[in-house]
Amino acid sequence: MAGGSAEGRRVFVSTLPAGPGERRLALAVVLVSVAIFLSAVPFAKVPLGQIWAFIPIYQSALVVNDLITAVLLFGQFGFLRSRALLVLAGGYLFTAFMAVSHMLTFPGLFGPTGLLGAGPQSTAWLFMFWHGGFPLCVIAYALLKNDTRDIDGPAGRAGVAISSSLAAIVAVVCGLTLLATAGQHALPAIMRGNQYTAVMLSVVSTTWVLSLLALVVLWRRRPHAVLDLWLMVVMCAWVFDIALAAVLNGGRFDLGFYAGRIYGLLAASFVLMVLLLENGKLYARLVQSTAEAEAANRAKSDFLSRMSHELRTPLNGIIGFSQLLELDSLTPEQRESVEHIQKGGRHLLTLINEVLDIARIEAGAISISLEPLPVTDVVHSALDLVRPLARGRRITLVDAVAGDDHVMADRQRLQQVLLNLLSNAVKYNRDDGRVEVSCTKAGSGSIRLAIRDTGRGIAPGMLERLYTPFERLDADRSGVEGTGLGLALSRRLVEAMHGTLHVESTVGEGTTFAVELPPAVGRSAVVAGTNGVPPSAATPKTFGTLLYIEDNPANLRLVERIVGYRPGLTLLSAVQGRRGLELARDHQPRAIVLDLHLPDLDGTEVLARLRGDPSTRDIPVVIVSADATPGQVTRLLAQGADSYLTKPLDVSEFLALLDRLFNRTATPCATTT
């Protein structure tokens, strides 16, 4: 439905049920109005002075009130698409336009007999048309308010409905004005000078009955919304207006004439005040909701940071020690056991990374850096990474990407998507199969990267479940490993880069996944990524003192074992931040490895003190943390960290970093996530 959710619809006065508080307030207003009306009735025919300024002031205020009310009601219609609201908004617009015609034709105000070719009967008949037309709109609103056939469709349909309503109202007002001016001779005389004729009683009685009928219909059409309640108050004031200004008084410029118009102004103000109060409440609710959403996002980011730390920290020990075992001389059985440990650890790490990435995307906390990227470089890099997996299945990888196409994308995230799609194409392929990567221009002008395999394909009934998290389409029964999150994450990453991910599949023939991304416009030179070769664990020529500030015993032991492969290094350790600062000042290590979660000081505070102390300011600091959120990485690098490594540590990468730091041959190292 175009009107949004049911909960969203119930925040408006036109849909919000009237509570006891609103009922008591409305009843109090009506009782006060009745009391004032009854006190004014005996004096209704008392003549008063002709205050000419009263008419334009009263009519102008009336027009402004009714126009604002109509605009606010049209605004609610734009959201709710309720036919009843469209009719009611039209009713208020009708009264505003009729009030203008009434004021322009009022005798003696702008001319002896008024403007627009008005005669002695014109103003009185316009008053009757005006006060008879609005109750008809209220009756139509009451009859339509429980109609569920809302005006549905795109946003443009609401504008068409409003424009049509405006045109119809203008036409009706112009027609009635023309009838009361140029056609006044066809109407019976209801005014003689400033006094009413006998015909006036029957004409005004009809108008009065319409107002009473509108009040009754509103009362009977339950349940009552807040708007319905105040419309009943309006119709009560409308009845008092007509009674004082056209029934119980004697003519123009008596007490009833003035008092009735004051009731008319109040009638035009009640719904407006309710709508303005509603807008104020909605704005306050919006501000509160925005603050709550921002607090929820901060809490979610803190949760992601904490979960990243808590999940990665034990994996650091599992994967790190298994890598160290690989460097030792092992029997075939032992090496197989170590491979199983690493395989399970990597699977858990992949699952953690994908879950956290999806959560970051939902929280709006994922970092996407769009830049012009050469398609060939990114595809070649992804193919190189998946080639060993394909070789084990004797699957042919075909690189059909040629040319100089560039896309606007994040290099790391695009490679992550391609690697996931290529890995799936290999894992779910048949032995001796084929995987082909091609690049073409799509009809929309975007660049289309297609990955086609020769696997068993996906049944049409399963395609709708393809991007559901943890849904593996019964692949777990085939023994193929996976988390069930790769495709869900890939689609969200592609959409975050303003692209789309499509799939086509034929059972028994294969599947094609296509990534469409916007082309790079005015691209600059792009440096292709390189794949580093892990150094040998036995690299010599590394000497000096390394300080490690870490409170986790398993992580301390792991780094001790890693440093053991560099006999020239001396390792100092501290389990508290303050003790680490003391060791840094006293021993002046060549480098410091710092964990962020310490028992006494936060790691960021330790970093700030190291950079603020002249004796330790120039010592390279490497942050090693399980918190892999991009904002955290960027913030700490900006605060003076030389490098940021995330747990679980890659032993070869960590050794390479130590070699560069201690041999003074490195520039600041790229962040690893």
Side-chain angles (χ1 to χ4, degrees):
M1 183 179 292
S5 66
E7 184 176 352
R9 293 168 64 93
R10 290 177 69 86
V11 302
F12 295 102
V13 293
S14 57
T15 53
L16 187 66
E22 288 90 353
R23 294 180 186 277
R24 285 193 295 269
L25 179 59
L27 180 60
V29 171
V30 170
L31 291 177
V32 171
S33 299
V34 169
I36 296 174
F37 171 74
L38 294 176
S39 64
V41 166
F43 309 100
K45 295 183 179 181
V46 175
L48 299 176
Q50 297 183 0
I51 307 173
W52 291 105
F54 174 80
I55 299 298
I57 292 173
Y58 154 72
Q59 300 280 88
S60 299
L62 200 66
V63 170
V64 171
N65 282 4
D66 285 338
L67 283 177
I68 295 175
T69 304
V71 169
L72 292 174
L73 289 172
F74 277 131
Q76 288 200 13
F77 164 75
F79 181 82
L80 299 172
R81 307 294 177 88
S82 166
R83 299 172 191 272
L85 280 178
L86 183 64
V87 170
L88 184 61
Y92 273 95
L93 202 60
F94 171 80
T95 61
F97 290 165
M98 289 299 293
V100 172
S101 295
H102 182 270
M103 178 170 58
L104 293 176
T105 60
F106 198 89
L109 189 60
F110 297 104
T113 59
L115 303 180
L116 305 178
Q121 309 300 320
S122 299
T123 303
W125 274 109
L126 285 173
F127 182 89
M128 295 299 123
F129 294 151
W130 165 17
H131 283 72
F134 182 72
L136 289 175
C137 292
V138 173
I139 292 171
Y141 162 81
L143 296 175
L144 290 172
K145 76 185 189 74
N146 294 329
D147 187 358
T148 57
R149 297 174 301 164
D150 296 342
I151 299 176
D152 212 338
R157 291 285 298 276
V160 171
I162 293 172
S163 300
S164 301
S165 177
L166 176 62
I169 290 164
V170 169
V172 170
V173 170
C174 289
L176 292 175
T177 302
L178 189 63
L179 177 61
T181 53
Q184 60 181 306
H185 299 295
L187 299 172
I190 57 176
M191 293 293 299
R192 185 177 296 108
N194 286 334
Q195 303 301 312
Y196 302 144
T197 67
V199 180
M200 179 66 160
L201 183 60
S202 59
V203 174
V204 76
S205 296
T206 303
T207 305
W208 202 15
V209 168
L210 285 176
S211 299
L212 289 172
L213 180 61
L215 179 60
V216 172
V217 174
L218 273 172
W219 175 260
R220 292 177 61 86
R221 298 290 288 181
R222 299 170 185 269
H224 294 147
V226 174
L227 179 59
D228 303 338
L229 195 65
W230 286 100
L231 275 176
M232 285 188 272
V233 176
V234 168
M235 295 318 301
C236 288
W238 202 262
V239 168
F240 300 150
D241 172 10
I242 298 172
L244 287 172
V247 177
L248 302 175
N249 69 327
R252 293 184 181 133
F253 304 112
D254 56 17
L255 187 141
F257 173 86
Y258 288 112
R261 276 155 177 77
I262 292 173
Y263 268 108
L265 185 58
L266 289 175
S269 304
F270 288 136
V271 170
L272 175 60
M273 288 187 291
V274 171
L275 289 172
L276 290 176
L277 286 173
E278 174 199 51
N279 275 19
K281 290 178 181 178
L282 289 176
Y283 179 74
R285 190 178 302 172
L286 175 63
V287 172
Q288 181 182 1
S289 299
T290 302
E292 290 174 353
E294 291 175 352
N297 277 337
R298 287 194 297 270
K300 194 167 187 177
S301 297
D302 293 341
F303 171 77
L304 291 176
S305 174
R306 193 66 191 174
M307 285 300 296
S308 176
H309 177 267
E310 296 298 332
L311 294 172
R312 289 172 182 268
T313 296
L315 279 178
N316 186 50
I318 295 171
I319 296 177
F321 280 113
S322 65
Q323 290 181 65
L324 289 177
L325 288 173
E326 276 191 320
L327 300 177
D328 294 337
S329 298
L330 301 175
T331 66
E333 292 79 6
Q334 291 172 331
R335 188 165 297 279
E336 182 182 0
S337 298
V338 171
E339 289 175 357
H340 282 301
I341 295 173
Q342 283 215 4
K343 189 176 181 181
R346 294 293 180 191
H347 178 81
L348 285 175
L349 180 60
T350 300
L351 178 62
I352 291 167
N353 287 339
E354 290 178 344
V355 168
L356 291 175
D357 274 343
I358 289 177
R360 288 190 195 106
I361 293 174
E362 291 177 346
I366 193 166
S367 176
I368 296 291
S369 177
L370 300 179
E371 59 179 331
L373 295 178
V375 174
T376 52
D377 287 351
V378 182
V379 171
H380 292 166
S381 178
L383 285 171
D384 287 341
L385 291 172
V386 83
R387 210 173 297 280
L389 179 62
R391 192 179 300 118
R393 298 281 310 281
R394 302 185 306 280
I395 291 175
T396 303
L397 298 179
V398 179
D399 183 357
V401 177
D404 189 33
D405 290 320
H406 285 63
V407 294
M408 288 300 295
D410 183 297
R411 174 182 290 276
Q412 177 188 352
R413 298 303 182 181
L414 178 56
Q415 182 155 311
Q416 182 180 355
V417 170
L418 293 179
L419 185 58
N420 178 68
L421 297 178
L422 286 168
S423 298
N424 285 348
V426 171
K427 288 191 299 183
Y428 299 106
N429 213 324
R430 56 180 173 81
D431 291 342
D432 301 310
R434 172 187 173 96
V435 174
E436 179 179 315
V437 185
S438 61
C439 177
T440 57
K441 285 185 170 62
S444 60
S446 57
I447 304 297
R448 185 176 188 267
L449 284 169
I451 299 173
R452 185 180 186 280
D453 64 55
T454 56
R456 62 183 182 181
I458 304 171
M462 291 186 173
L463 288 176
E464 61 183 16
R465 297 156 46 197
L466 197 60
Y467 300 107
T468 303
F470 300 106
E471 175 61 69
R472 299 196 59 214
L473 304 182
D474 300 327
D476 47 347
R477 299 179 184 177
S478 65
V480 178
E481 293 185 355
T483 63
L485 288 172
L487 287 177
L489 174 60
S490 295
R491 184 168 71 167
R492 298 189 191 195
L493 286 174
V494 171
E495 290 172 350
M497 294 185 287
H498 310 299
T500 55
L501 178 60
H502 307 283
V503 60
E504 298 174 0
S505 187
T506 303
V507 176
E509 294 183 11
T511 302
T512 300
F513 282 92
V515 177
E516 291 188 11
L517 291 168
V521 179
R523 63 177 183 268
S524 56
V526 181
V527 180
T530 58
N531 295 322
V533 180
S536 166
T539 303
K541 302 179 182 178
T542 301
F543 303 96
T545 300
L546 174 68
L547 172 61
Y548 186 27
I549 307 175
E550 166 70 78
D551 66 322
N552 186 287
N555 291 337
L556 278 171
R557 180 60 181 156
L558 174 62
V559 172
E560 287 175 2
R561 291 285 305 277
I562 295 174
V563 172
Y565 286 90
R566 293 296 181 264
L569 289 183
T570 300
L571 179 66
L572 295 176
S573 63
V575 297
Q576 292 184 330
R578 290 186 177 85
R579 178 58 179 160
L581 292 170
E582 293 174 2
L583 291 177
R585 286 191 294 267
D586 295 341
H587 293 270
Q588 291 292 300
R590 292 275 295 279
I592 299 172
V593 177
L594 174 64
D595 181 64
L596 292 180
H597 297 275
L598 299 170
D600 59 336
L601 290 177
D602 187 78
T604 56
E605 176 64 20
V606 175
L607 176 62
R609 295 190 186 187
L610 287 171
R611 287 294 173 253
D613 190 334
S615 64
T616 59
R617 181 180 300 155
D618 298 325
I619 302 175
V621 177
V622 178
I623 303 296
V624 176
S625 174
D627 186 351
T629 53
Q632 176 85 321
V633 174
T634 302
R635 182 170 60 85
L636 286 168
L637 290 176
Q639 289 178 1
D642 290 78
S643 183
Y644 193 111
L645 301 178
T646 57
K647 299 174 183 177
L649 280 177
D650 184 291
V651 173
S652 298
E653 181 183 14
F654 187 61
L655 286 171
L657 175 60
L658 293 181
D659 292 339
R660 290 196 294 269
L661 288 175
F662 281 84
N663 290 310
R664 300 178 181 275
T665 60
T667 56
C669 181
T671 301
T672 300
T673 57

